[in-house]
Amino acid sequence: MPSASGMLSAANAFQMSAQGDLETSAALALMADAFSASCVTLETVDRRDGLIVALDHARVDPESFGPYREHYYALSPRVNYGLRPDAEPVAHDGLVLAEAEMDRDPFYAEFLTQFGLRYFLSMSIDPHPDIFSVLALQFTPEHGLPDEEK
């Protein structure tokens, strides 16, 4: 569970970022720290055509961006879940797939594995009906599925 001071630091950093006083990646890094995440993304998708409009990040392996955009984005069960009208605003892997399904899913078994990742915890930030934005914390297999204790 993140500390109150860590969350407050991250929230203040996002406010500074919105005002142009801090890089978005620095604010995202503080969010990753608050949740003990390996990395974090802030992804914005146009709901009308399903295309990525913006992808901000902190501590993401740069080698992952090409394969993600070119192939794995379209296969991601996380994205498919997030774009559903009945999707929960706060999501995690348990809402998307069972653990055994993750082992067989190309997004999990091929893509995430090669970058040492497995789990996520996300929060939707939908500023407009045509836009889907999500802040997603990424975790290693060793961290395990995020829960209230982590």
Side-chain angles (χ1 to χ4, degrees):
M1 187 76 141
S3 70
S5 64
M7 288 300 297
L8 185 57
S9 293
N12 287 335
F14 276 105
Q15 184 175 14
M16 292 173 62
S17 174
Q19 296 168 345
D21 297 331
L22 184 69
E23 292 287 325
T24 302
S25 61
L28 290 171
L30 285 170
M31 182 65 73
D33 291 344
F35 283 88
S36 301
S38 295
C39 56
V40 62
T41 57
L42 177 58
E43 188 168 342
T44 303
V45 174
D46 187 321
R47 289 183 186 274
R48 295 166 296 191
D49 59 17
L51 297 178
I52 298 171
V53 176
L55 183 58
D56 292 305
H57 60 89
R59 302 186 187 129
V60 174
D61 186 330
E63 296 293 317
S64 70
F65 290 116
Y68 179 71
R69 285 180 181 265
E70 294 163 14
H71 183 67
Y72 290 101
Y73 167 77
L75 300 177
S76 172
R78 295 173 178 183
V79 173
N80 291 329
Y81 175 83
L83 291 173
R84 288 179 15 196
D86 64 337
E88 296 290 329
V90 175
H92 53 81
D93 301 280
L95 294 173
V96 177
L97 293 175
E99 194 77 35
E101 292 173 307
M102 290 180 216
D103 292 334
R104 295 185 303 271
D105 182 83
F107 181 79
Y108 282 87
E110 296 170 15
F111 178 69
L112 292 177
T113 299
Q114 68 180 308
F115 297 103
L117 301 172
R118 173 71 171 204
Y119 302 105
F120 83 104
L121 175 65
S122 70
M123 180 179 68
S124 295
I125 308 162
D126 292 337
H128 187 279
D130 294 336
I131 299 293
F132 170 67
S133 290
V134 63
L135 176 70
L137 299 147
Q138 311 291 331
F139 300 95
T140 64
E142 295 77 25
H143 180 281
L145 187 67
D147 60 27
E148 291 186 22
E149 298 301 315
K150 297 177 187 174

